[in-house]
Amino acid sequence: MKTLKAASLSPNGAIILAAVFTLFAVPLRTFQYLNCLDPETGFWTVRDVTVPVLYALVIAVAVFAFFISLFSGIMPKPEFSKQKDTPFGVAAILMGLGFASDAFFCVRDIITTYNSIVPSEDLSLGYQLISSGTIGRCGQALFAVLSVVYLAFLAVAKLTGTALHESHKLLALSPVLWGVFRLLVHFVEPISYKNVSQLLLEICLVVFAMIFWFAFARLSSGVNAESSMWLFFFGGITAAFLGFVCALAPFILILTGKASLIPPSRPMQYVDLAFAIFATCALFNAMPKTVGLNSRDEFKEEPAPEVPGKMTRAERKRERARLEKEAAEERAYQLAAMAATAEDGTIRSAFEDTGADVAEVDVDAPNPGRTESFWKSVDEDDGEHFVVTDEE
């Protein structure tokens, strides 16, 4: 697969494309809430040109994110920076609050559904709990709570510049399992995915969010992180786009006082909006620096060493002379060191001038120069004196 990588292709292009498409898709989805959806059931009442346009935008983002992330030759390190990142830490807090709200609504629905179950000889209690999605909501609530705990560790780590969350590898999988149980709840709902667009969009969102959370867990835990970067960008870019489309449009309706247009069967999912914000911050935290949006030191590439060009004849002559000079100095240094070393390996301390009119230097000098004398310790009988001159 490495041979298929494009050296100049960066996942930043898919991030920018998704951001641009979001500016079109969110107003388009808001328009559909106002004019094309039944506020009681969430079914389509008008199928105009906005329907295929919205689905085309979703498909385009997913396809571009997949190919750009898969074949990108520009990827950051397969790990998250351990530097302090306040925006990412705040986004983790919002994500934790989103999971907490989802757990609260799941528990509320569980209690309501359980109280509404009527004992019957034909339908057992277990069958009614499974068919109503109550069992799925129990698992969804459980792993939402565990996800809150993991996001708390992550928030502290990013706000303080530590790696507190990296040691909780199993806990990092909680958002993935939360997505599994949420999908189970969606699939047992007796609603047509074709007619209820919000349900279809939420299912797509959960699928891509699970890809993102799985890659996020591997990156933060250091488990097979090398092969997870492209999944992180692919799932994160697509899921963040779908999160804004699914949650930002109803949130705008709530802010503008038109919450009555939101179908009761498909209420506002605050966890989806929190996820869109969190995934966006995570993508910007890890994105390469190729478009100038990330200048952290760990993403700065070291400049390649300069390769000298072809040398001229004069340059080769000077280079040869320099090498011969260094070799001569090295030989002289070795001879002087051998002369100053006793048979037992110790350095003799006595030195005697032979009378030569040259500068005296220590034999341990690292780079003795020309016209310098090197002294051997002189015993009673004889001594030796080594001199390096320009003629050597």
Side-chain angles (χ1 to χ4, degrees), residues 9-49:
L9 189 62
S10 169
N12 297 349
I15 296 177
I16 295 173
L17 179 70
V20 173
F21 280 12
T22 301
L23 298 178
F24 289 96
V26 173
L28 194 65
R29 185 59 179 165
T30 306
F31 173 83
Q32 290 178 347
Y33 268 103
L34 295 173
N35 300 279
C36 303
L37 299 178
D38 185 351
E40 296 296 330
T41 62
F43 280 57
W44 291 109
T45 56
V46 176
R47 289 181 178 271
D48 56 12
V49 69

mmCIF file of all heavy atoms in Angstrom, residues 9-49:
data_model
loop_
_atom_site.group_PDB
_atom_site.id
_atom_site.type_symbol
_atom_site.label_atom_id
_atom_site.label_comp_id
_atom_site.label_asym_id
_atom_site.label_seq_id
_atom_site.Cartn_x
_atom_site.Cartn_y
_atom_site.Cartn_z
ATOM 1 N N LEU A 9 -0.196 14.532 -1.178
ATOM 2 C CA LEU A 9 -1.611 14.491 -0.799
ATOM 3 C C LEU A 9 -1.739 14.526 0.717
ATOM 4 O O LEU A 9 -1.142 13.714 1.418
ATOM 5 C CB LEU A 9 -2.265 13.234 -1.356
ATOM 6 C CG LEU A 9 -3.791 13.143 -1.242
ATOM 7 C CD1 LEU A 9 -4.451 14.265 -2.034
ATOM 8 C CD2 LEU A 9 -4.280 11.793 -1.741
ATOM 9 N N SER A 10 -2.508 15.487 1.216
ATOM 10 C CA SER A 10 -2.665 15.658 2.656
ATOM 11 C C SER A 10 -4.130 15.493 3.047
ATOM 12 O O SER A 10 -5.027 15.901 2.299
ATOM 13 C CB SER A 10 -2.174 17.050 3.086
ATOM 14 O OG SER A 10 -2.553 17.324 4.418
ATOM 15 N N PRO A 11 -4.417 14.905 4.224
ATOM 16 C CA PRO A 11 -5.811 14.808 4.685
ATOM 17 C C PRO A 11 -6.422 16.166 4.995
ATOM 18 O O PRO A 11 -7.640 16.265 5.172
ATOM 19 C CB PRO A 11 -5.707 13.937 5.940
ATOM 20 C CG PRO A 11 -4.303 14.091 6.405
ATOM 21 C CD PRO A 11 -3.491 14.249 5.152
ATOM 22 N N ASN A 12 -5.599 17.195 5.048
ATOM 23 C CA ASN A 12 -6.142 18.537 5.274
ATOM 24 C C ASN A 12 -7.118 18.938 4.177
ATOM 25 O O ASN A 12 -8.066 19.697 4.419
ATOM 26 C CB ASN A 12 -5.009 19.566 5.331
ATOM 27 C CG ASN A 12 -4.073 19.311 6.496
ATOM 28 O OD1 ASN A 12 -4.372 18.499 7.361
ATOM 29 N ND2 ASN A 12 -2.944 19.973 6.516
ATOM 30 N N GLY A 13 -6.899 18.422 2.960
ATOM 31 C CA GLY A 13 -7.813 18.741 1.868
ATOM 32 C C GLY A 13 -9.216 18.233 2.141
ATOM 33 O O GLY A 13 -10.205 18.924 1.864
ATOM 34 N N ALA A 14 -9.312 17.023 2.709
ATOM 35 C CA ALA A 14 -10.625 16.474 3.042
ATOM 36 C C ALA A 14 -11.263 17.257 4.190
ATOM 37 O O ALA A 14 -12.488 17.430 4.221
ATOM 38 C CB ALA A 14 -10.492 14.994 3.418
ATOM 39 N N ILE A 15 -10.457 17.717 5.142
ATOM 40 C CA ILE A 15 -10.987 18.519 6.254
ATOM 41 C C ILE A 15 -11.577 19.823 5.732
ATOM 42 O O ILE A 15 -12.681 20.235 6.117
ATOM 43 C CB ILE A 15 -9.886 18.785 7.292
ATOM 44 C CG1 ILE A 15 -9.418 17.474 7.926
ATOM 45 C CG2 ILE A 15 -10.381 19.745 8.368
ATOM 46 C CD1 ILE A 15 -8.275 17.639 8.902
ATOM 47 N N ILE A 16 -10.851 20.481 4.856
ATOM 48 C CA ILE A 16 -11.325 21.750 4.298
ATOM 49 C C ILE A 16 -12.585 21.527 3.460
ATOM 50 O O ILE A 16 -13.548 22.299 3.528
ATOM 51 C CB ILE A 16 -10.213 22.399 3.449
ATOM 52 C CG1 ILE A 16 -9.022 22.769 4.342
ATOM 53 C CG2 ILE A 16 -10.734 23.635 2.730
ATOM 54 C CD1 ILE A 16 -7.823 23.258 3.579
ATOM 55 N N LEU A 17 -12.596 20.445 2.678
ATOM 56 C CA LEU A 17 -13.776 20.140 1.857
ATOM 57 C C LEU A 17 -14.993 19.890 2.739
ATOM 58 O O LEU A 17 -16.091 20.401 2.454
ATOM 59 C CB LEU A 17 -13.489 18.918 0.987
ATOM 60 C CG LEU A 17 -14.639 18.468 0.082
ATOM 61 C CD1 LEU A 17 -14.863 19.483 -1.033
ATOM 62 C CD2 LEU A 17 -14.339 17.092 -0.512
ATOM 63 N N ALA A 18 -14.828 19.122 3.812
ATOM 64 C CA ALA A 18 -15.944 18.854 4.707
ATOM 65 C C ALA A 18 -16.438 20.129 5.374
ATOM 66 O O ALA A 18 -17.647 20.316 5.570
ATOM 67 C CB ALA A 18 -15.523 17.830 5.771
ATOM 68 N N ALA A 19 -15.510 21.031 5.721
ATOM 69 C CA ALA A 19 -15.909 22.300 6.338
ATOM 70 C C ALA A 19 -16.744 23.141 5.367
ATOM 71 O O ALA A 19 -17.755 23.745 5.752
ATOM 72 C CB ALA A 19 -14.672 23.073 6.786
ATOM 73 N N VAL A 20 -16.321 23.166 4.109
ATOM 74 C CA VAL A 20 -17.077 23.930 3.096
ATOM 75 C C VAL A 20 -18.446 23.312 2.871
ATOM 76 O O VAL A 20 -19.472 24.017 2.803
ATOM 77 C CB VAL A 20 -16.276 24.001 1.786
ATOM 78 C CG1 VAL A 20 -17.115 24.649 0.680
ATOM 79 C CG2 VAL A 20 -14.986 24.781 1.989
ATOM 80 N N PHE A 21 -18.500 21.983 2.758
ATOM 81 C CA PHE A 21 -19.780 21.312 2.538
ATOM 82 C C PHE A 21 -20.713 21.478 3.732
ATOM 83 O O PHE A 21 -21.944 21.504 3.572
ATOM 84 C CB PHE A 21 -19.546 19.834 2.255
ATOM 85 C CG PHE A 21 -19.130 19.541 0.840
ATOM 86 C CD1 PHE A 21 -18.748 20.570 -0.010
ATOM 87 C CD2 PHE A 21 -19.103 18.244 0.352
ATOM 88 C CE1 PHE A 21 -18.356 20.309 -1.311
ATOM 89 C CE2 PHE A 21 -18.730 17.971 -0.944
ATOM 90 C CZ PHE A 21 -18.352 19.010 -1.778
ATOM 91 N N THR A 22 -20.149 21.580 4.939
ATOM 92 C CA THR A 22 -20.979 21.796 6.122
ATOM 93 C C THR A 22 -21.713 23.120 6.048
ATOM 94 O O THR A 22 -22.876 23.239 6.471
ATOM 95 C CB THR A 22 -20.115 21.743 7.399
ATOM 96 O OG1 THR A 22 -19.466 20.469 7.479
ATOM 97 C CG2 THR A 22 -20.956 21.947 8.650
ATOM 98 N N LEU A 23 -21.058 24.139 5.489
ATOM 99 C CA LEU A 23 -21.691 25.457 5.351
ATOM 100 C C LEU A 23 -22.911 25.408 4.436
ATOM 101 O O LEU A 23 -23.808 26.242 4.550
ATOM 102 C CB LEU A 23 -20.671 26.470 4.823
ATOM 103 C CG LEU A 23 -19.448 26.733 5.720
ATOM 104 C CD1 LEU A 23 -18.501 27.711 5.041
ATOM 105 C CD2 LEU A 23 -19.897 27.273 7.068
ATOM 106 N N PHE A 24 -22.935 24.441 3.529
ATOM 107 C CA PHE A 24 -24.091 24.273 2.649
ATOM 108 C C PHE A 24 -25.105 23.290 3.232
ATOM 109 O O PHE A 24 -26.320 23.494 3.110
ATOM 110 C CB PHE A 24 -23.639 23.777 1.263
ATOM 111 C CG PHE A 24 -22.905 24.801 0.455
ATOM 112 C CD1 PHE A 24 -21.521 24.834 0.458
ATOM 113 C CD2 PHE A 24 -23.584 25.744 -0.295
ATOM 114 C CE1 PHE A 24 -20.827 25.779 -0.285
ATOM 115 C CE2 PHE A 24 -22.910 26.698 -1.040
ATOM 116 C CZ PHE A 24 -21.522 26.716 -1.037
ATOM 117 N N ALA A 25 -24.613 22.211 3.863
ATOM 118 C CA ALA A 25 -25.500 21.138 4.296
ATOM 119 C C ALA A 25 -26.359 21.535 5.494
ATOM 120 O O ALA A 25 -27.535 21.159 5.571
ATOM 121 C CB ALA A 25 -24.675 19.891 4.637
ATOM 122 N N VAL A 26 -25.802 22.283 6.449
ATOM 123 C CA VAL A 26 -26.575 22.652 7.643
ATOM 124 C C VAL A 26 -27.755 23.566 7.288
ATOM 125 O O VAL A 26 -28.896 23.304 7.717
ATOM 126 C CB VAL A 26 -25.660 23.287 8.700
ATOM 127 C CG1 VAL A 26 -26.482 23.832 9.867
ATOM 128 C CG2 VAL A 26 -24.655 22.257 9.218
ATOM 129 N N PRO A 27 -27.561 24.647 6.522
ATOM 130 C CA PRO A 27 -28.735 25.430 6.105
ATOM 131 C C PRO A 27 -29.731 24.614 5.287
ATOM 132 O O PRO A 27 -30.946 24.819 5.402
ATOM 133 C CB PRO A 27 -28.132 26.569 5.265
ATOM 134 C CG PRO A 27 -26.728 26.677 5.743
ATOM 135 C CD PRO A 27 -26.317 25.284 6.074
ATOM 136 N N LEU A 28 -29.206 23.682 4.463
ATOM 137 C CA LEU A 28 -30.086 22.845 3.661
ATOM 138 C C LEU A 28 -30.941 21.947 4.557
ATOM 139 O O LEU A 28 -32.154 21.798 4.334
ATOM 140 C CB LEU A 28 -29.239 21.991 2.710
ATOM 141 C CG LEU A 28 -29.968 21.302 1.559
ATOM 142 C CD1 LEU A 28 -30.538 22.331 0.595
ATOM 143 C CD2 LEU A 28 -29.019 20.357 0.829
ATOM 144 N N ARG A 29 -30.328 21.387 5.582
ATOM 145 C CA ARG A 29 -31.078 20.533 6.503
ATOM 146 C C ARG A 29 -32.082 21.358 7.313
ATOM 147 O O ARG A 29 -33.211 20.904 7.574
ATOM 148 C CB ARG A 29 -30.106 19.814 7.443
ATOM 149 C CG ARG A 29 -30.761 18.796 8.374
ATOM 150 C CD ARG A 29 -31.468 17.728 7.587
ATOM 151 N NE ARG A 29 -32.087 16.721 8.442
ATOM 152 C CZ ARG A 29 -32.984 15.844 8.039
ATOM 153 N NH1 ARG A 29 -33.393 15.858 6.770
ATOM 154 N NH2 ARG A 29 -33.509 14.958 8.868
ATOM 155 N N THR A 30 -31.721 22.552 7.690
ATOM 156 C CA THR A 30 -32.644 23.434 8.411
ATOM 157 C C THR A 30 -33.849 23.771 7.534
ATOM 158 O O THR A 30 -35.002 23.792 8.005
ATOM 159 C CB THR A 30 -31.934 24.718 8.841
ATOM 160 O OG1 THR A 30 -30.755 24.388 9.592
ATOM 161 C CG2 THR A 30 -32.833 25.588 9.702
ATOM 162 N N PHE A 31 -33.584 24.014 6.254
ATOM 163 C CA PHE A 31 -34.674 24.288 5.314
ATOM 164 C C PHE A 31 -35.612 23.084 5.220
ATOM 165 O O PHE A 31 -36.845 23.250 5.131
ATOM 166 C CB PHE A 31 -34.090 24.614 3.933
ATOM 167 C CG PHE A 31 -35.112 24.751 2.844
ATOM 168 C CD1 PHE A 31 -35.795 25.952 2.662
ATOM 169 C CD2 PHE A 31 -35.411 23.683 2.001
ATOM 170 C CE1 PHE A 31 -36.757 26.076 1.663
ATOM 171 C CE2 PHE A 31 -36.363 23.805 1.009
ATOM 172 C CZ PHE A 31 -37.037 25.005 0.838
ATOM 173 N N GLN A 32 -35.065 21.870 5.237
ATOM 174 C CA GLN A 32 -35.909 20.681 5.176
ATOM 175 C C GLN A 32 -36.792 20.554 6.413
ATOM 176 O O GLN A 32 -37.960 20.147 6.310
ATOM 177 C CB GLN A 32 -35.030 19.434 5.011
ATOM 178 C CG GLN A 32 -34.358 19.336 3.650
ATOM 179 C CD GLN A 32 -33.462 18.118 3.537
ATOM 180 O OE1 GLN A 32 -33.149 17.461 4.530
ATOM 181 N NE2 GLN A 32 -33.040 17.809 2.313
ATOM 182 N N TYR A 33 -36.242 20.888 7.587
ATOM 183 C CA TYR A 33 -37.069 20.873 8.796
ATOM 184 C C TYR A 33 -38.236 21.857 8.671
ATOM 185 O O TYR A 33 -39.353 21.589 9.129
ATOM 186 C CB TYR A 33 -36.227 21.239 10.017
ATOM 187 C CG TYR A 33 -35.616 20.059 10.721
ATOM 188 C CD1 TYR A 33 -34.270 19.750 10.555
ATOM 189 C CD2 TYR A 33 -36.364 19.246 11.561
ATOM 190 C CE1 TYR A 33 -33.694 18.669 11.200
ATOM 191 C CE2 TYR A 33 -35.799 18.165 12.211
ATOM 192 C CZ TYR A 33 -34.466 17.879 12.037
ATOM 193 O OH TYR A 33 -33.903 16.803 12.681
ATOM 194 N N LEU A 34 -37.980 22.981 8.038
ATOM 195 C CA LEU A 34 -39.006 24.023 7.942
ATOM 196 C C LEU A 34 -40.050 23.719 6.885
ATOM 197 O O LEU A 34 -41.216 24.133 7.023
ATOM 198 C CB LEU A 34 -38.342 25.369 7.637
ATOM 199 C CG LEU A 34 -37.411 25.932 8.720
ATOM 200 C CD1 LEU A 34 -36.698 27.173 8.209
ATOM 201 C CD2 LEU A 34 -38.218 26.267 9.977
ATOM 202 N N ASN A 35 -39.671 23.006 5.823
ATOM 203 C CA ASN A 35 -40.569 22.900 4.677
ATOM 204 C C ASN A 35 -40.836 21.486 4.175
ATOM 205 O O ASN A 35 -41.801 21.293 3.419
ATOM 206 C CB ASN A 35 -39.996 23.708 3.495
ATOM 207 C CG ASN A 35 -39.825 25.173 3.820
ATOM 208 O OD1 ASN A 35 -40.771 25.959 3.766
ATOM 209 N ND2 ASN A 35 -38.599 25.555 4.161
ATOM 210 N N CYS A 36 -40.025 20.509 4.547
ATOM 211 C CA CYS A 36 -40.140 19.196 3.904
ATOM 212 C C CYS A 36 -40.456 18.045 4.855
ATOM 213 O O CYS A 36 -40.678 16.923 4.387
ATOM 214 C CB CYS A 36 -38.831 18.866 3.170
ATOM 215 S SG CYS A 36 -38.350 20.097 1.948
ATOM 216 N N LEU A 37 -40.477 18.270 6.163
ATOM 217 C CA LEU A 37 -40.672 17.186 7.115
ATOM 218 C C LEU A 37 -41.949 17.381 7.919
ATOM 219 O O LEU A 37 -42.326 18.515 8.245
ATOM 220 C CB LEU A 37 -39.474 17.096 8.071
ATOM 221 C CG LEU A 37 -38.104 16.813 7.449
ATOM 222 C CD1 LEU A 37 -37.032 16.795 8.527
ATOM 223 C CD2 LEU A 37 -38.112 15.499 6.678
ATOM 224 N N ASP A 38 -42.586 16.276 8.227
ATOM 225 C CA ASP A 38 -43.765 16.299 9.083
ATOM 226 C C ASP A 38 -43.308 16.447 10.532
ATOM 227 O O ASP A 38 -42.590 15.580 11.047
ATOM 228 C CB ASP A 38 -44.546 15.008 8.903
ATOM 229 C CG ASP A 38 -45.860 15.010 9.688
ATOM 230 O OD1 ASP A 38 -46.071 15.943 10.494
ATOM 231 O OD2 ASP A 38 -46.658 14.075 9.496
ATOM 232 N N PRO A 39 -43.695 17.527 11.220
ATOM 233 C CA PRO A 39 -43.230 17.731 12.599
ATOM 234 C C PRO A 39 -43.776 16.711 13.597
ATOM 235 O O PRO A 39 -43.277 16.627 14.720
ATOM 236 C CB PRO A 39 -43.728 19.145 12.922
ATOM 237 C CG PRO A 39 -44.864 19.382 12.000
ATOM 238 C CD PRO A 39 -44.538 18.630 10.751
ATOM 239 N N GLU A 40 -44.760 15.926 13.198
ATOM 240 C CA GLU A 40 -45.313 14.928 14.105
ATOM 241 C C GLU A 40 -44.609 13.574 13.978
ATOM 242 O O GLU A 40 -44.324 12.921 14.978
ATOM 243 C CB GLU A 40 -46.815 14.745 13.815
ATOM 244 C CG GLU A 40 -47.647 15.983 14.073
ATOM 245 C CD GLU A 40 -47.650 16.378 15.545
ATOM 246 O OE1 GLU A 40 -47.524 15.480 16.408
ATOM 247 O OE2 GLU A 40 -47.770 17.584 15.832
ATOM 248 N N THR A 41 -44.320 13.168 12.752
ATOM 249 C CA THR A 41 -43.744 11.837 12.526
ATOM 250 C C THR A 41 -42.304 11.872 12.029
ATOM 251 O O THR A 41 -41.578 10.881 12.153
ATOM 252 C CB THR A 41 -44.586 11.083 11.492
ATOM 253 O OG1 THR A 41 -44.563 11.794 10.235
ATOM 254 C CG2 THR A 41 -46.024 10.967 11.962
ATOM 255 N N GLY A 42 -41.882 12.989 11.449
ATOM 256 C CA GLY A 42 -40.550 13.057 10.870
ATOM 257 C C GLY A 42 -40.470 12.517 9.461
ATOM 258 O O GLY A 42 -39.381 12.467 8.877
ATOM 259 N N PHE A 43 -41.591 12.105 8.879
ATOM 260 C CA PHE A 43 -41.609 11.582 7.519
ATOM 261 C C PHE A 43 -41.488 12.743 6.523
ATOM 262 O O PHE A 43 -41.834 13.887 6.815
ATOM 263 C CB PHE A 43 -42.907 10.809 7.256
ATOM 264 C CG PHE A 43 -42.887 9.416 7.806
ATOM 265 C CD1 PHE A 43 -42.659 9.180 9.153
ATOM 266 C CD2 PHE A 43 -43.118 8.329 6.984
ATOM 267 C CE1 PHE A 43 -42.654 7.898 9.672
ATOM 268 C CE2 PHE A 43 -43.119 7.038 7.490
ATOM 269 C CZ PHE A 43 -42.872 6.823 8.831
ATOM 270 N N TRP A 44 -41.039 12.387 5.317
ATOM 271 C CA TRP A 44 -41.004 13.381 4.248
ATOM 272 C C TRP A 44 -42.428 13.765 3.848
ATOM 273 O O TRP A 44 -43.288 12.906 3.683
ATOM 274 C CB TRP A 44 -40.293 12.836 3.010
ATOM 275 C CG TRP A 44 -38.811 12.614 3.151
ATOM 276 C CD1 TRP A 44 -38.169 11.419 3.215
ATOM 277 C CD2 TRP A 44 -37.809 13.621 3.219
ATOM 278 N NE1 TRP A 44 -36.810 11.610 3.331
ATOM 279 C CE2 TRP A 44 -36.564 12.948 3.327
ATOM 280 C CE3 TRP A 44 -37.825 15.015 3.206
ATOM 281 C CZ2 TRP A 44 -35.354 13.628 3.419
ATOM 282 C CZ3 TRP A 44 -36.623 15.694 3.302
ATOM 283 C CH2 TRP A 44 -35.395 15.020 3.403
ATOM 284 N N THR A 45 -42.655 15.051 3.692
ATOM 285 C CA THR A 45 -43.921 15.528 3.135
ATOM 286 C C THR A 45 -43.717 16.096 1.741
ATOM 287 O O THR A 45 -44.628 16.071 0.912
ATOM 288 C CB THR A 45 -44.532 16.625 4.033
ATOM 289 O OG1 THR A 45 -43.593 17.689 4.196
ATOM 290 C CG2 THR A 45 -44.898 16.053 5.391
ATOM 291 N N VAL A 46 -42.520 16.592 1.486
ATOM 292 C CA VAL A 46 -42.155 17.124 0.169
ATOM 293 C C VAL A 46 -40.766 16.594 -0.174
ATOM 294 O O VAL A 46 -39.833 16.710 0.627
ATOM 295 C CB VAL A 46 -42.136 18.672 0.156
ATOM 296 C CG1 VAL A 46 -41.655 19.174 -1.206
ATOM 297 C CG2 VAL A 46 -43.513 19.224 0.493
ATOM 298 N N ARG A 47 -40.627 16.009 -1.342
ATOM 299 C CA ARG A 47 -39.318 15.528 -1.805
ATOM 300 C C ARG A 47 -38.878 16.411 -2.973
ATOM 301 O O ARG A 47 -39.161 16.118 -4.136
ATOM 302 C CB ARG A 47 -39.403 14.060 -2.235
ATOM 303 C CG ARG A 47 -39.577 13.082 -1.082
ATOM 304 C CD ARG A 47 -39.633 11.646 -1.599
ATOM 305 N NE ARG A 47 -39.745 10.683 -0.535
ATOM 306 C CZ ARG A 47 -38.716 10.119 0.102
ATOM 307 N NH1 ARG A 47 -37.481 10.444 -0.245
ATOM 308 N NH2 ARG A 47 -38.920 9.243 1.064
ATOM 309 N N ASP A 48 -38.208 17.476 -2.636
ATOM 310 C CA ASP A 48 -37.744 18.391 -3.669
ATOM 311 C C ASP A 48 -36.269 18.139 -3.964
ATOM 312 O O ASP A 48 -35.704 17.115 -3.561
ATOM 313 C CB ASP A 48 -37.989 19.847 -3.255
ATOM 314 C CG ASP A 48 -37.351 20.178 -1.914
ATOM 315 O OD1 ASP A 48 -36.546 19.355 -1.421
ATOM 316 O OD2 ASP A 48 -37.648 21.247 -1.352
ATOM 317 N N VAL A 49 -35.624 19.084 -4.619
ATOM 318 C CA VAL A 49 -34.242 18.906 -5.040
ATOM 319 C C VAL A 49 -33.283 18.869 -3.863
ATOM 320 O O VAL A 49 -32.149 18.369 -3.982
ATOM 321 C CB VAL A 49 -33.853 20.046 -6.020
ATOM 322 C CG1 VAL A 49 -33.770 21.384 -5.278
ATOM 323 C CG2 VAL A 49 -32.549 19.748 -6.728
#
